[in-house]
Amino acid sequence: MNNFWSDFKAFISQGNILDLAIGVIIGGAFGKIVTSFVNDILMPLIGLLLGGVDFTSRFVALNGQDYPSLAAAQEAGASVLTYGTFIQTVIDFLIIALVLFVVLKQMTKFQSRFKKEEEATTKTCPFCKSDIDINATRCPHCTSQLEGVEA
């Protein structure tokens, strides 16, 4: 049992696990910000542009009856499709996906800008095709002279 806890402690203290935990926490907070932005700012503006439509109250009662509001339909126990809420959730997803795309694209661009090319330490002998030291003047495998020969 003692070995289990020491293995678990080693697993938890790895950098990747901590990075993942931090990412999940920040991602959850970012998701709340995006949801608030969509629900409290974006959707009211879209609703205003569409003639005062409140998307959170948009629904279809599956029993075919008309109800004055979503609350009334739910109070009556009717099954409803709340497509307005679904539209808001899709917009949440699209905004989060767009932000992640932009952030990852910028990170990739940033990393490639500062990534150094590793200098080669070996070359291929043009005669026997063995890997040899880049400074070699004679192949240690086939003993061919390499000076003046293109590799």
Side-chain angles (χ1 to χ4, degrees):
M1 188 67 169
N2 191 24
N3 192 27
F4 171 80
W5 289 113
S6 62
D7 289 347
F8 182 70
K9 182 180 174 184
F11 172 74
I12 288 296
S13 63
Q14 289 179 351
N16 293 344
I17 299 299
L18 296 175
D19 292 343
L20 178 63
I22 291 169
V24 167
I25 292 167
I26 290 174
F30 179 71
K32 289 180 182 181
I33 290 170
V34 171
T35 299
S36 177
F37 171 73
V38 170
N39 293 345
D40 302 330
I41 296 172
L42 189 62
M43 294 309 288
L45 290 174
I46 292 173
L48 182 65
L49 292 173
L50 295 175
V53 176
D54 177 16
F55 280 90
T56 58
S57 65
R58 307 305 284 176
F59 71 97
V60 173
L62 296 178
N63 62 5
Q65 296 180 358
D66 288 331
Y67 297 94
S69 68
L70 176 59
Q74 289 172 334
E75 188 177 303
S79 295
V80 292
L81 291 176
T82 53
Y83 65 89
T85 305
F86 178 74
I87 291 170
Q88 285 185 312
T89 304
V90 168
I91 292 173
D92 277 355
F93 169 77
L94 292 175
I95 290 173
I96 290 173
L98 176 67
V99 169
L100 287 175
F101 172 76
V102 170
V103 167
L104 290 174
K105 190 169 178 83
Q106 290 303 317
M107 283 179 54
T108 303
K109 192 183 293 185
F110 181 75
Q111 287 174 346
S112 67
R113 184 176 296 161
F114 292 104
K115 187 176 183 180
K116 293 181 180 178
E117 286 290 323
E118 293 182 20
E119 292 187 25
T121 58
T122 62
K123 62 182 176 182
T124 303
C125 173
F127 301 104
C128 69
K129 306 300 183 203
S130 298
D131 285 339
I132 58 174
D133 186 85
I134 196 151
N135 296 321
T137 57
R138 182 176 294 276
C139 177
H141 304 287
C142 68
T143 69
S144 298
Q145 190 69 29
L146 300 175
E147 290 182 346
V149 177
E150 295 281 328

